[in-house]
Amino acid sequence: MGGRISLLVADRVPDRVATAASFHGGGLVTEAADSPHLLAHRMTATIYVGGAQDDARSRPKTPNSSTRR
């Protein structure tokens, strides 16, 4: 299961998900209404999101994201 999906499931069925994780997951911050970052305040599960500090293949695409290279 991908990190994005694990976080979406944590939001949609909180009574069945105690912990969710994403390790270098993609699609965690999008402009969509169901973007995981917009749903985080509703999640009751313990959430862990881990990612690389520097990854030239995956640059931030949102205006408020870091532009570190």
Side-chain angles (χ1 to χ4, degrees):
M1 179 182 303
R4 174 180 168 78
I5 294 172
S6 70
L7 297 180
L8 291 175
V9 171
D11 171 63
R12 295 201 177 127
V13 287
D15 57 320
R16 299 187 65 188
V17 178
T19 304
S22 175
F23 296 93
H24 202 68
L28 301 179
V29 178
T30 69
E31 294 182 16
D34 69 344
S35 178
H37 83 288
L38 297 174
L39 307 174
H41 71 281
R42 299 188 328 203
M43 296 178 193
T44 58
T46 299
I47 305 293
Y48 177 84
V49 177
Q53 182 173 348
D54 296 304
D55 184 351
R57 296 179 301 168
S58 181
R59 297 195 194 284
K61 295 177 183 158
T62 58
N64 295 326
S65 298
S66 170
T67 57
R68 178 189 283 177
R69 294 181 191 239

